Amino acid sequence: MPMEARNVTHTGEYFILLGLAEAPEHETLLFILFLLMYLVTAAGNLLIIVAISTDPHLHTPMYFFLAHLSLVDFCLATNTVPKMLANIQTGSRAISYADCLTQMYFFHFFGIVDSVLIAVMAYDRFVAICHPLHYSSIMSARACALLVGGPWLCSGLLSLTHILLMARLVFCASHELPHYFCDLTPMLRLSCSDTFVNRAFVLAVAGLVIAAPFVCILASYARILAAVLQVPSAGGRWKAFSTCGSHLSVVALFYGTTIGVYLCPSSVRTAVKEKASAVMYTAVTPMLNPFIYSLRNRDMKGALRKLVHRKVSASA
């Protein structure tokens, strides 16, 4: 038996999530901060889903995709933040191996869907601006269903493969994860097994679901910019491009962090940087997306006002 394999503990036991706080006295502040962020995330994204579902004026492809993005953002935050809050509240940082793999599965599942949906929304804006006369035929109900259903199906298969590859590994005596949830990279560092296949698959998936959608987004916006610059009036150019402003903000937030975590060389990554980036795309971005889309969108603000008015009238 190789020397490094002698110190293996049974993977059916547990891992210890070290969390975000470097000192115990910071945990109360973190608990309050992340609880407020999660409540805002849940309320904002669920409000957008209900508003789009109940307002017939928003039953268009763009808002159909936005409703799915809000659902994914809510699920992504729910998969990680409540567990971290429970750990702080109870003082227990342990998570069973099975729960760890389950959390990892859903984290990658919703993260992959999120990435591809953002690219789908860029394609939707490209068709709307560059091919307005054919928009209804291109973005048909069947096409929208495929553009949404495809990412959910592919994400399930890719995430399951991640978990199956992870399940074959053995881990050394130290089960301390320097993170606040179970993520692939920190867990691979703890393994005594050969993780070459796992790391190769991580890079392949990152290229497929992060780099490829990001390139598609850049190509879509290059075509959009070229089309907008051909509009004769300044007002027309501003109106055409303003519809993309919210989406560009989301692109910058999401891809700015995920590319740094999954596509940058491991030599330039540290545990602190990984945790900071993870906070951005599991807590901050899902919280900000509802504000970005509602504050910059007149139709969305109108739908939310009508929704709130109906709730107030019903309770009066």
Side-chain angles (χ1 to χ4, degrees):
M1 177 182 290
M3 182 68 70
E4 66 271 14
R6 292 177 184 170
N7 245 355
V8 173
T9 54
H10 190 263
T11 55
E13 295 179 3
Y14 57 85
F15 288 96
I16 302 297
L17 297 171
L18 297 183
L20 289 172
E22 296 293 332
E25 59 267 22
H26 297 155
E27 289 191 337
T28 301
L29 178 60
L30 281 175
F31 180 85
I32 296 172
L33 176 63
F34 276 84
L35 177 61
L36 291 174
M37 288 172 63
Y38 179 71
L39 292 176
V40 172
T41 298
N45 284 290
L46 293 177
L47 271 175
I48 283 185
I49 294 170
V50 174
I52 292 173
S53 301
T54 57
D55 192 331
H57 295 97
L58 301 183
H59 292 176
T60 63
M62 181 176 75
Y63 294 107
F64 174 71
F65 299 137
L66 177 57
H68 278 268
L69 183 68
S70 295
L71 175 62
V72 171
D73 282 340
F74 168 72
C75 294
L76 187 60
T78 301
N79 183 53
T80 55
V81 178
K83 174 61 178 174
M84 183 188 72
L85 296 176
N87 288 351
I88 295 175
Q89 185 67 21
T90 62
S92 172
R93 300 176 182 273
I95 182 171
S96 70
Y97 182 69
D99 288 345
C100 197
L101 290 185
T102 301
Q103 186 183 54
M104 185 188 303
Y105 172 83
F106 284 109
F107 168 70
H108 285 278
F109 177 78
F110 293 121
I112 291 170
V113 176
D114 209 349
S115 178
V116 180
L117 272 180
I118 293 173
V120 167
M121 294 174 76
Y123 174 72
D124 173 74
R125 292 299 82 206
F126 158 71
V127 176
I129 292 173
C130 298
H131 303 283
L133 298 179
H134 302 286
Y135 181 77
S136 297
S137 59
I138 295 175
M139 302 304 293
S140 62
R142 183 174 179 273
C144 290
L146 289 173
L147 287 171
V148 166
W152 286 91
L153 178 61
C154 293
S155 179
L157 295 174
L158 292 173
S159 301
L160 180 60
T161 306
H162 271 309
I163 301 308
L164 293 176
L165 289 174
M166 183 63 67
R168 70 184 180 86
L169 303 180
V170 292
F171 295 87
C172 300
S174 175
H175 279 189
E176 293 186 345
L177 278 171
H179 218 310
Y180 64 97
F181 67 93
C182 293
D183 197 5
L184 270 170
T185 306
M187 285 189 69
L188 290 177
R189 294 196 189 106
L190 297 182
S191 176
C192 298
S193 306
D194 183 3
T195 60
F196 174 79
V197 175
N198 298 72
R199 294 181 186 279
F201 189 70
V202 168
L203 286 176
V205 171
L208 179 66
V209 303
I210 298 176
F214 186 63
V215 170
C216 291
I217 290 170
L218 293 179
S220 295
Y221 276 105
R223 295 287 302 276
I224 288 171
L225 180 61
V228 168
L229 291 177
Q230 294 177 6
V231 176
S233 67
R237 288 195 296 270
W238 172 252
K239 183 179 179 181
F241 201 69
S242 64
T243 62
C244 305
S246 300
H247 186 257
L248 282 172
S249 302
V250 172
V251 169
L253 277 172
F254 182 84
Y255 286 100
T257 53
T258 52
I259 288 175
V261 171
Y262 292 104
L263 291 179
C264 283
S266 58
S267 58
V268 301
R269 297 199 305 259
T270 64
V272 174
K273 288 180 180 179
E274 285 181 352
K275 286 191 285 188
S277 297
V279 168
M280 284 297 297
Y281 60 75
T282 61
V284 177
T285 301
M287 179 186 69
L288 293 180
N289 282 356
F291 293 100
I292 292 171
Y293 279 107
S294 60
L295 293 178
R296 295 178 60 92
N297 189 302
R298 185 167 51 189
D299 293 335
M300 197 70 243
K301 285 190 287 187
L304 289 171
R305 278 196 298 267
K306 286 191 287 185
L307 178 63
V308 172
H309 180 72
R310 283 199 299 269
K311 294 295 181 183
V312 171
S313 301
S315 62

